[in-house]
Amino acid sequence: MAQLKSKFQKSKNSKKQPAKEAPTLSLQERLAQKRQATKARKEFMDLLTKSLAGGLFLGFLSFLVGGIKTALPAVLGVLVMSFSYKYPRPALIGFLIYVPFGGTITYYIGNSPVLQLAKDSFYLPAVIALWQICRKQGLPFVIPQSIKIPLLFVLGSSLLTLIFINGGQQLNPPPVGLLETPVKEIPIGLGILGLKVFLGYVPLITCAYYLVRNKQDFLWLSRLQIVLIIICCGLGFLQYLFLVVGICEGTRNYEGAALFKATLEARCYFGGALVYSPSQGIIRLPGTFVAPWQWAWFLISSTFFGFATGFSDPSIFWRLTSLGSLALVFVNAVVSGQRIALALVPTCFVLLLLLTGQIANLKRFIPIGIGLVIILGIAMVNNPEVVQERTDSFITRWNASPPQDFIIQQFEENWKNVDTPIGSGLGRATNSARALGKTKLVETYYPKVLYEVGIFGVLGFLALVTTLTITAFKTYRSIKNRNFRSYGASMWVFILFISCNTYYYPLDVDPVAVYYWFFAGILFKLPALDKQEKENADSEQVTNKKRLQIKF
């Protein structure tokens, strides 16, 4: 019996395949790698030297004009733009990381309108470099091709508005009364900035598409987003605790109308303006962003990303981590004081369950659902006053100004007040462009687009986002891999939700203005990754068959 067992073990061991050894490089290959590394190191040092010299020169001139707060951004801007053009892939990752922290960084360096555009020093050089690479290698820059016609139409309509409306305002400013002071503005600059806000981030589709090369890149980016959500939500909750315990005063000691207005003077370590007046039951926190409502839309969009990774990541560790990120998003939606976040975060979660079909995936839905219920239940039991105050505030606001009535009123007002069929001028309703000229406050997105670029522009943009949504749906439905398909379904719901939403203007500002286009590009890359995985699986099957046929 012992001999039989010994023979069986020998037979079993003989069938084991030796571990694959890394291929040994020849001397010529090793020398070629060494030369390539030396060349890359030399290019890096040359670029560092030239950009640092140019940055210091520009920084010195800026210092003479505006001091250290002007000089430091100038030096950093030259360095970042130089390296972003040379290394577009790290630049795009840096851009994605910078977006949720931009508000905090801006106010630590110095409050300046120029610093609001700091993130574009990563983005614009990388886009230019990518466009040149695509042109050189014969790769398509507009992805997917189905959006090309509506994109060209809305771009052409916007350029007409820029040339004839903004250009006309620049060359023929409105007459000024005898005792009136002329308004100092730059209509053409206002239009250029307005165009950048309106369509400037559409190329992020292409950037994300080429940034993701394989499954590893995709998983890395999706997990990076979860880490960013956890960090930002952790800082947001810490901001709330600082205000509650009195480390930050907020607006609690203000008087009169100041008790109800978000102000930069009351900021608490992270982000920008806030209002915290517990005596009046008023709290509006900005998290890590410039303004409170930007934080609200970060929480809303994070619901989609946390859900997507939680139901699609192959690693149980990252699925549980995504559950934690969702819990933090829900908690911040309550304590931030943002009514729209309190309403839409749970609504979007339920919408995702229904439209992606994950409600039927009991194996993953039940643990995530139970985990969220437990975490939120504990938070609500420990803070009943906070939950009640937020709920009452939401109901009161809804009854005072129902969203559907507000949207209709905004459409009617701007339809009557728009100057021409091609609009009243790009940037004229863009809040971030107010430093360059007079702007109008329009608090809903499509009425704002109507006011700026007219009926032709708004119809063109609607055609663009509708085509994008339909193509995204067809794309995710074509995916066979279960994990990719699940992630793609969540991104399609995100695209659908933002495309249809007109309440406020999330597509105009961070972070939705970035996430909408960037994650659309990731969705459109998933079929290629699905094909890669299938080819890898087929090649492994062929290899295994060959191994089985080997005779000893």
Side-chain angles (χ1 to χ4, degrees):
M1 186 72 182
Q3 290 178 350
L4 183 62
K5 187 175 180 181
S6 175
K7 287 180 180 179
F8 173 76
Q9 287 177 341
K10 287 180 181 179
S11 175
K12 187 177 179 181
N13 292 335
S14 67
K15 292 180 182 179
K16 290 183 179 180
Q17 298 296 323
K20 289 185 178 179
E21 296 181 0
T24 305
L25 298 177
S26 65
L27 178 61
Q28 290 182 342
E29 289 173 332
R30 290 200 299 272
L31 291 174
Q33 284 187 348
K34 190 175 180 179
R35 285 194 299 269
Q36 190 175 5
T38 304
K39 182 182 177 182
R41 190 161 49 248
K42 184 176 181 300
E43 289 177 351
F44 178 86
M45 294 306 299
D46 288 346
L47 179 61
L48 178 62
T49 303
K50 292 176 182 178
S51 59
L52 188 59
L56 289 174
F57 177 74
L58 182 62
F60 176 73
L61 297 178
S62 302
F63 177 78
L64 297 177
V65 174
I68 188 64
K69 286 190 175 182
T70 307
L72 183 60
V75 175
L76 292 176
V78 171
L79 286 170
V80 171
M81 293 179 74
S82 301
F83 279 90
S84 296
Y85 179 78
K86 177 67 176 177
Y87 306 103
R89 288 183 57 81
L92 290 171
I93 295 170
F95 171 75
L96 196 64
I97 295 172
Y98 183 89
V99 165
F101 301 106
T104 301
I105 295 170
T106 293
Y107 291 117
Y108 272 116
I109 296 177
N111 184 14
S112 168
V114 176
L115 291 174
Q116 304 289 344
L117 305 174
K119 67 181 184 302
D120 295 322
S121 60
F122 291 96
Y123 167 64
L124 292 177
V127 168
I128 294 170
L130 181 61
W131 175 74
Q132 291 178 334
I133 291 170
C134 290
R135 188 179 179 186
K136 185 177 180 181
Q137 298 183 7
L139 300 171
F141 188 74
V142 177
I143 296 173
Q145 288 295 302
S146 59
I147 70 167
K148 191 171 185 178
I149 293 175
L151 177 60
L152 290 176
F153 179 85
V154 70
L155 180 60
S157 176
S158 300
L159 290 175
L160 287 175
T161 302
L162 178 65
I163 294 168
F164 292 104
I165 305 300
N166 292 89
Q169 294 167 355
Q170 183 76 50
L171 298 175
N172 299 297
V176 180
L178 183 63
L179 300 177
E180 294 180 359
T181 304
V183 179
K184 293 182 180 180
E185 61 178 17
I186 310 171
I188 197 71
L190 184 76
I192 292 171
L193 185 55
L195 180 61
K196 176 259 174 188
V197 170
F198 184 37
L199 296 174
Y201 292 120
V202 176
L204 277 172
I205 299 176
T206 307
C207 293
Y209 185 88
Y210 290 118
L211 181 64
V212 177
R213 298 165 296 186
N214 49 44
K215 181 181 177 181
Q216 287 69 32
D217 285 349
F218 164 72
L219 291 175
W220 191 88
L221 276 174
S222 64
R223 292 166 181 176
L224 171 66
Q225 190 62 29
I226 296 302
V227 172
L228 293 175
I229 291 169
I230 291 173
I231 293 172
C232 290
C233 287
L235 293 176
F237 189 70
L238 192 62
Q239 184 181 67
Y240 171 74
L241 292 179
F242 283 170
L243 288 161
V244 169
V245 301
I247 295 175
C248 298
E249 290 297 322
T251 56
R252 73 177 89 212
N253 295 322
Y254 288 28
E255 297 180 355
L259 285 166
F260 303 92
K261 293 181 180 179
T263 175
L264 193 58
E265 286 73 22
R267 70 182 294 265
C268 181
Y269 292 105
F270 319 114
L274 63 81
V275 53
Y276 181 77
S277 303
S279 62
Q280 305 299 319
I282 300 294
I283 176 172
R284 303 288 182 269
L285 301 186
T288 57
F289 285 81
V290 172
W293 73 271
Q294 286 178 279
W295 177 239
W297 281 100
F298 173 79
L299 296 175
I300 293 165
S301 59
S302 295
T303 307
F304 293 89
F305 307 136
F307 183 96
T309 304
F311 279 96
S312 67
D313 199 285
S315 167
I316 188 171
F317 171 79
W318 284 103
R319 291 201 298 272
L320 293 174
T321 304
S322 300
L323 166 63
S325 73
L326 276 173
L328 282 171
V329 167
F330 274 74
V331 169
N332 275 271
V334 174
V335 303
S336 69
Q338 292 298 306
R339 291 179 291 260
I340 193 168
L342 181 63
L344 290 184
V345 165
T347 301
C348 289
F349 184 79
V350 174
L351 191 69
L352 282 161
L353 284 174
L354 296 175
L355 293 183
T356 62
Q358 291 294 351
I359 196 169
N361 187 1
L362 299 179
K363 186 178 179 181
R364 293 190 179 180
F365 166 65
I366 290 177
I368 290 179
I370 292 175
L372 280 176
V373 168
I374 292 173
I375 293 171
L376 292 177
I378 293 172
M380 293 173 71
V381 168
N382 291 333
N383 301 277
E385 299 87 1
V386 174
V387 175
Q388 186 63 45
E389 188 275 323
R390 301 299 178 270
T391 306
D392 293 343
S393 175
F394 174 77
I395 294 172
T396 303
R397 176 65 177 176
W398 183 287
N399 293 332
S401 179
Q404 66 275 14
D405 295 341
F406 180 64
I407 293 169
I408 292 171
Q409 180 265 329
Q410 290 267 295
F411 265 113
E412 291 175 348
E413 178 190 342
N414 289 283
W415 176 259
K416 293 176 182 177
N417 294 333
V418 65
D419 295 335
T420 69
I422 57 173
S424 301
L426 279 162
R428 285 297 177 187
T430 302
N431 191 42
S432 59
R434 64 187 181 276
L436 297 175
K438 185 179 179 182
T439 59
K440 177 184 178 182
L441 178 62
V442 183
E443 295 183 85
T444 48
Y445 187 68
Y446 287 109
K448 177 257 181 189
V449 175
L450 174 66
Y451 183 78
E452 286 198 357
V453 293
I455 187 63
F456 294 110
V458 76
L459 288 176
F461 190 77
L462 280 168
L464 173 63
V465 296
T466 302
T467 304
L468 186 74
T469 305
I470 294 171
T471 307
F473 176 77
K474 293 179 179 178
T475 300
Y476 109 77
R477 295 291 292 177
S478 68
I479 300 170
K480 305 301 181 185
N481 183 286
R482 184 183 66 179
N483 292 333
F484 290 155
R485 187 183 177 94
S486 175
Y487 195 94
S490 301
M491 291 304 98
W492 169 71
V493 177
F494 176 62
I495 293 168
L496 173 68
F497 175 74
I498 298 299
S499 299
C500 295
N501 173 71
T502 190
Y503 195 65
Y504 286 109
Y505 37 94
L507 268 177
D508 246 20
V509 292
D510 299 339
V512 177
V514 171
Y515 292 159
Y516 178 81
W517 305 107
F518 187 87
F519 284 93
I522 290 181
L523 169 57
F524 293 128
K525 189 57 179 274
L526 291 180
L529 302 184
D530 187 26
K531 186 178 179 182
Q532 280 183 12
E533 286 298 295
K534 188 175 183 302
E535 289 174 352
N536 291 339
D538 292 343
S539 65
E540 284 183 9
Q541 285 182 351
V542 171
T543 304
N544 290 336
K545 285 181 180 179
K546 288 182 178 179
R547 286 176 178 173
L548 290 173
Q549 292 173 357
I550 296 174
K551 295 180 180 180
F552 293 95

